[in-house]
Amino acid sequence: MIEIKDLYKEFANDDVVTKVLHDLNFGIKEGEFISIMGPSGSGKSTLMHILGFLDTLTKGQYKFRGKDVSNLNDDELAALRNKSIGFVFQNFNLLPKTTVWDNVRLPLLYAEGKVDLGIVDQVIESVGLTHRKDYMSNQLSGGEKQRVAIARALVNSPDIVFADEPTGNLDSKSGLQVMSILQELNRNGKTVILVTHETSTAEHAKRIIKLKDGKLVSDDSDFKQKIAKTLTDLK
């Protein structure tokens, strides 16, 4: 689904150039559940923005479903993003004095052609919030807000769901509920890419890509099996 080759990202401010990502190479298959992990400043959010068509790379190549998207303009990226990507953010990004139903419907306002609004009720039900669909989003708990954000991310039936620190503002119980929903989405075939600095959150994924100082330091799809084997060997 995704091929990244020799990716670099720099930000220029007057005469100062800040190098954020360096020579990244990896691929992502359809149906994977991946955590992009690293400390603050490692470049993981910048990488997510590039993968999710919110930003562009400085040098290198990005292929999405075989198409080179490295040099698309803003309008082309926006069209691809609206069609293919769903986002879940740490701060929810909901409209506060708007119902759950209308928050979830929002991406459909930008969809082309006729839209079946029945999908709104379906995705709200999938995150267990049918009983809250007529509530204003500012009447909800943090965990409920994040579930609304997940429903909104799903309403366009995207190819990939990106979750950027989705448990960062939640208590441990609500965080586990959110991760359980993301795991269920993946079991149903959805590609999920999670960005986090927390090991306990990253370990819900099946593969962890670790960044440090903008460089890929490890890409481990078998870490759970290796951990289990190590524990067994220690007994």
Side-chain angles (χ1 to χ4, degrees):
M1 177 181 280
I2 287 175
E3 296 177 68
I4 296 296
K5 184 177 181 181
D6 304 329
L7 184 150
Y8 289 80
K9 179 63 180 179
E10 300 174 351
F11 291 105
N13 185 9
D14 295 327
D15 294 329
V16 179
V17 176
T18 303
K19 297 181 179 181
V20 181
L21 297 172
H22 314 266
D23 195 23
L24 301 187
N25 290 274
F26 62 89
I28 297 174
K29 296 178 181 178
E30 190 163 1
E32 285 200 85
F33 187 169
I34 294 176
S35 286
I36 299 175
M37 187 182 175
S40 178
S42 61
K44 59 186 184 297
S45 290
T46 300
L47 177 58
M48 187 202 75
H49 290 164
I50 292 172
L51 296 179
F53 311 120
L54 291 169
D55 199 356
T56 56
L57 50 80
T58 302
K59 185 172 68 173
Q61 187 178 67
Y62 175 11
K63 285 187 177 182
F64 182 76
R65 294 195 179 281
K67 179 182 179 180
D68 190 347
V69 299
S70 307
N71 298 310
L72 295 183
N73 62 38
D74 289 344
D75 288 340
E76 290 168 329
L77 288 174
L80 188 56
R81 183 170 63 245
N82 191 56
K83 179 182 177 181
S84 302
I85 306 297
F87 289 102
V88 181
F89 295 103
Q90 179 177 353
N91 294 322
F92 320 128
N93 291 352
L94 302 179
L95 300 176
K97 295 183 179 180
T98 307
T99 66
V100 166
W101 196 92
D102 283 325
N103 266 287
V104 173
R105 182 189 61 161
L106 190 61
L108 297 179
L109 298 177
Y110 305 97
E112 297 179 356
K114 188 176 180 180
V115 173
D116 179 5
L117 293 179
I119 187 65
V120 179
D121 291 306
Q122 291 175 26
V123 294
I124 290 173
E125 182 181 3
S126 75
V127 297
L129 286 177
T130 298
H131 63 300
R132 291 281 195 263
K133 70 176 184 178
D134 296 322
Y135 279 55
M136 299 297 173
S137 65
N138 57 359
Q139 295 176 303
L140 304 178
S141 68
E144 288 172 333
K145 289 178 181 178
Q146 196 60 290
R147 284 190 276 162
V148 174
I150 292 172
R152 183 185 57 193
L154 295 175
V155 77
N156 268 344
S157 300
D159 295 312
I160 304 175
V161 174
F162 285 93
D164 188 6
E165 302 282 6
T167 63
N169 284 333
L170 304 179
D171 59 64
S172 57
K173 181 179 178 181
S174 297
L176 287 173
Q177 289 175 337
V178 166
M179 294 310 303
S180 178
I181 291 171
L182 292 176
Q183 286 179 313
E184 183 63 21
L185 290 175
N186 179 246
R187 282 192 290 270
N188 290 331
K190 190 70 68 179
T191 304
V192 179
I193 300 179
L194 170 71
V195 174
T196 184
H197 67 279
E198 297 176 342
T199 301
S200 59
T201 301
E203 288 177 349
H204 286 85
K206 298 175 182 176
R207 174 183 170 194
I208 294 180
I209 293 174
K210 290 185 179 179
L211 299 180
K212 184 177 181 181
D213 298 328
K215 298 178 181 179
L216 195 156
V217 294
S218 68
D219 182 353
D220 195 345
S221 58
D222 299 315
F223 75 99
K224 288 184 178 178
Q225 294 89 328
K226 290 180 179 180
I227 289 173
K229 184 177 185 304
T230 299
L231 292 174
T232 299
D233 292 342
L234 290 174
K235 290 181 179 179

